[in-house]
Amino acid sequence: MKIVQLLFLGLMTIAMFGCKETEVLEPEQVIIRDTVFVEQELSPYVGFWSYSDIDMQNGTLELDGSPVGSFTGKGKDIVGRIAMAQNPNIYTTTVAFTAEISVFGQTQDLPVEERTSTGTWEEVDGKLKLIDDAGNDVNVVSSSESEIVFEGDFTEEITLPAGAIEANATVIFTVVK
C-alpha cells in the first residue's frame, strides 16, 4: 500500500509542477521552444525591384571647372535591381547602364559602370522613405506597390583629347516589381 501511495504522490507532484499555464495566443503568434514569435505583415515594398527607366535632367558639362554646355539623357541597356528586406529595413541597389546623352544636338553613348549603394527604408504615412548609408535622404518622387520613382545624382567623367569633361545631372530612376 505504501508503494501505491508513493507512486500516487510522485504522479501528483509531476502533474502539479509539470503543467504550465496555458497561454492564449493571437492568430499571428506562434510558439517555438517556449519563445513567442509574432508574425508580422510584410510591407509591399519588400522584395526585388527591377530598373525600368532612367532619365537624366538638368545636365551640365564642365571642362577644367568651366561650363561648356548642357545635356539631357536617357538610360538604355539597363541592368540592375533593388533588393529590399524587412526587420531590419535595409535596401541594396546595383545598376549599370549606357547613358544616351544629347549634347549640342548630337547623341553620344556613355557607358556607366556598375554602381552599388545601400541604406535603410521606412514607410511614413503610406509613402516610402529611403536613407542612404551616408545618412542622406533619397528623394522619393512617388511610390506604390508596383512602382517606385526616385532621384539621384549622376556624375561621370568623359576623357577627350582636349581634356576631361565632367558631366553632372539629376537622374530620375524608375523601378518596378
Side-chain angles (χ1 to χ4, degrees), residues 53-70:
D53 197 31
I54 298 175
D55 286 311
M56 288 166 255
Q57 302 174 350
N58 306 317
T60 60
L61 299 170
E62 294 181 358
L63 178 63
D64 296 326
S66 298
V68 293
S70 61

Side-chain angles (χ1 to χ4, degrees), residues 7 14 25 32 50 58 82 100 102 112 115 153 177:
L7 283 173
I14 291 172
L25 298 178
I32 300 174
S50 299
N58 306 317
I82 298 176
E100 185 178 66
S102 179
V112 178
R115 296 179 182 183
D153 293 322
K177 205 168 197 188

Side-chain angles (χ1 to χ4, degrees), residues 99-171:
E100 185 178 66
I101 60 175
S102 179
V103 182
F104 308 120
Q106 295 185 11
T107 301
Q108 293 275 75
D109 283 352
L110 179 62
V112 178
E113 298 294 319
E114 182 177 272
R115 296 179 182 183
T116 300
S117 63
T118 58
T120 60
W121 66 272
E122 64 182 318
E123 283 182 70
V124 179
D125 297 327
K127 294 189 178 208
L128 180 65
K129 181 178 180 180
L130 300 173
I131 302 168
D132 68 20
D133 275 346
N136 301 312
D137 286 343
V138 176
N139 183 24
V140 178
V141 177
S142 65
S143 60
S144 71
E145 294 182 9
S146 60
E147 181 182 83
I148 302 170
V149 179
F150 62 97
E151 288 183 352
D153 293 322
F154 172 81
T155 300
E156 197 69 31
E157 190 171 283
I158 305 165
T159 305
L160 300 173
I165 294 179
E166 187 173 295
N168 296 296
T170 299
V171 183

Side-chain angles (χ1 to χ4, degrees), residues 1-14:
M1 190 67 171
K2 287 189 179 198
I3 294 177
V4 172
Q5 287 176 340
L6 286 174
L7 283 173
F8 180 73
L9 183 60
L11 287 174
M12 290 303 292
T13 303
I14 291 172

